[in-house]
DNA sequence: CTTGGTTCCTGCGTGC
DNA sequence: TGCACGCAGGAACCAA
């Protein structure tokens, strides 16, 4: 499940290897992944296009092309974007292949086929729904403690759903939300409006630390994620609660519990993250 | 306006 | 050993 650190790792790996190359052939094997045009238009517009750069916005990848075009790619759950030489095997569940003038192939693979591709004019990138309403990103200047406090106070839901909402904070997904809440010692079902100043300060630091560590470790491979070279991440060994149901909390030894919150599997330590939140005040 | 529930999709783990 | 079933979850969509 690629979140911001995984998508950023893919971007960093691929960007220097894609810049300046030209797409010479397009092989669309699953057209339904292309959301805003048919496969013929997709192929016709991409063939001959040069790659200017690869950018990222939240969990989205944006391949900026010559001719004021852009290809927006969202990996969703099991999407993979990686480069293969002409000789290498293409891998499994390959859905779209872009062959470059170097002979390399930029491969989009996706087991569960929930990923999306939008080919748009550069000026119309904001019309891609998931790019239109992104909040500030962790580690950016726009993501400040003041912003977090103000937005938490204005929201009426619970903290787990709030942190998953890309319009509030861009780039967090289920793994890093659980990890950040654990580090901040906040119960996932806590109403956002009840979060104290001390807790919001802990949460602010936790989000930035968790995301920075995950980027440093080239992302978390829980099941499917691989980087632009097809390699797994290293961050999974540093997870405290995600995927560790009934294992001891690394901080206190209490067994990690799993519940459903905001419709997602949610992992937390009942001792470090008590329901009231008053214990650590 | 907000927020919660449902749906999409397929491989894998579980249990009988 | 084989098979049915539930689960994984980001975002669109709909309903209240």
């Amino acid at each position: 499940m690629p979140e911001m650190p995984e998508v950023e790792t893919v971007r960093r790996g691929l960007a220097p290897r894609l810049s300046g190359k030209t797409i010479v052939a397009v092989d669309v094997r699953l057209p339904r992944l292309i959301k805003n045009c048919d496969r013929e238009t997709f192929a016709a517009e991409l063939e001959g296009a040069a790659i200017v750069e690869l950018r990222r916005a939240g969990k989205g990848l944006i391949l900026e092309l010559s001719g004021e075009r852009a290809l927006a790619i969202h990996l969703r759950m099991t999407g993979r974007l990686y480069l293969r030489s002409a000789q290498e095997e293409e891998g499994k569940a390959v859905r779209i292949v872009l062959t470059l003038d170097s002979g390399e192939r930029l491969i989009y693979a996706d087991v569960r086929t929930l990923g999306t591709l939008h080919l748009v004019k550069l000026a119309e990138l904001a019309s891609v729904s998931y790019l239109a309403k992104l909040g500030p990103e962790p580690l950016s200047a726009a993501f400040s403690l003041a912003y977090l406090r103000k937005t938490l106070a204005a929201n009426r839901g619970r903290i787990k759903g709030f942190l998953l909402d890309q319009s509030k904070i861009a780039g967090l997904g289920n793994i890093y939300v659980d990890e950040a809440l654990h580090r901040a010692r906040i119960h996932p079902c806590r109403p956002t409006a009840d979060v104290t100043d001390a807790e919001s300060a802990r949460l602010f630091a936790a989000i930035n630390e968790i995301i920075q560590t995950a980027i440093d470790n080239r992302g978390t491979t829980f099941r499917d994620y691989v980087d632009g070279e097809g390699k797994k991440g290293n961050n999974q060994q540093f997870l405290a609660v995600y995927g560790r149901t009934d294992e001891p909390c690394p901080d206190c030894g209490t067994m990690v519990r799993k519940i459903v919150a905001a419709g997602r599997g949610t992992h937390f330590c009942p001792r470090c993250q008590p329901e009231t939140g008053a214990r650590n005040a």
Side-chain angles (χ1 to χ4, degrees):
Chain A
M1 43 222 78
E3 305 176 27
M4 191 258 241
E6 289 74 36
V7 179
E8 177 62 16
T9 302
V10 170
R11 188 199 69 76
R12 289 183 185 183
L14 289 179
R17 303 171 65 193
L18 293 178
S19 293
K21 303 227 170 107
T22 297
I23 298 167
V24 296
V26 178
D27 179 7
V28 179
R29 303 180 196 175
L30 191 59
R32 111 176 117 68
L33 300 185
I34 303 165
K35 299 302 178 182
N36 69 329
C37 63
D38 59 37
R39 71 196 299 171
E40 291 77 17
T41 306
F42 184 85
E45 294 204 3
L46 283 183
E47 280 175 17
I51 297 171
V52 178
E53 66 170 333
L54 182 62
R55 294 191 276 127
R56 182 188 60 74
K59 301 175 194 173
L61 283 164
I62 298 156
L63 196 63
E64 194 179 318
L65 303 164
S66 58
E68 300 290 310
R69 303 275 170 177
L71 176 61
I73 303 172
H74 199 304
L75 305 175
R76 292 285 192 102
M77 286 293 296
T78 56
R80 297 174 164 190
L81 190 69
Y82 52 87
L83 204 53
R84 284 283 185 272
S85 72
Q87 295 78 29
E88 289 173 299
E89 278 194 60
E90 65 177 27
K92 294 179 180 176
V94 173
R95 309 304 184 187
I96 293 173
V97 180
L98 305 181
T99 303
L100 309 178
D101 55 353
S102 61
E104 295 166 299
R105 293 156 296 163
L106 181 62
I107 293 173
Y108 180 79
D110 193 342
V111 168
R112 279 179 245 178
T113 72
L114 292 172
T116 63
L117 295 90
H118 294 79
L119 180 58
V120 296
K121 292 177 184 168
L122 196 54
E124 292 167 4
L125 255 183
S127 72
V128 178
S129 53
Y130 63 85
L131 296 174
K133 45 187 179 180
L134 288 177
E137 298 197 354
L139 305 174
S140 74
F143 181 58
S144 65
L145 178 55
Y147 170 82
L148 180 63
R149 281 187 175 146
K150 182 186 68 177
T151 318
L152 283 169
N155 193 270
R156 269 188 282 279
R158 295 171 186 221
I159 190 76
K160 170 89 183 195
F162 173 90
L163 293 176
L164 287 171
D165 185 341
Q166 302 300 296
S167 73
K168 305 299 194 303
I169 303 169
L172 298 180
N174 208 35
I175 295 175
Y176 298 119
V177 166
D178 283 5
E179 293 297 310
L181 287 172
H182 177 262
R183 176 164 300 199
R185 300 182 176 272
I186 299 172
H187 192 283
C189 297
R190 174 76 72 79
T192 58
D194 293 354
V195 172
T196 66
D197 278 359
E199 286 172 330
S200 56
R202 290 207 301 268
L203 182 59
F204 177 72
I207 290 169
N208 284 327
E209 289 164 10
I210 292 285
I211 293 298
Q212 184 63 60
T213 300
I215 292 173
D216 291 345
N217 287 316
R218 305 179 54 79
T220 298
T221 296
F222 197 72
R223 288 184 70 164
D224 294 277
Y225 163 73
V226 295
D227 68 16
E229 297 175 353
K231 295 177 181 169
K232 294 181 176 182
N234 302 311
N235 197 61
Q236 51 277 10
Q237 59 192 302
F238 300 103
L239 300 181
V241 289
Y242 185 87
R244 301 201 186 280
T245 311
D246 295 330
E247 294 179 34
C249 166
D251 293 341
C252 77
T254 303
M255 294 302 160
V256 170
R257 280 192 61 203
K258 185 178 181 185
I259 60 174
V260 174
R264 299 285 174 269
T266 298
H267 313 72
F268 73 106
C269 170
R271 183 169 176 196
C272 293
Q273 301 163 263
E275 197 92 43
T276 64
R279 197 182 67 89
N280 294 308

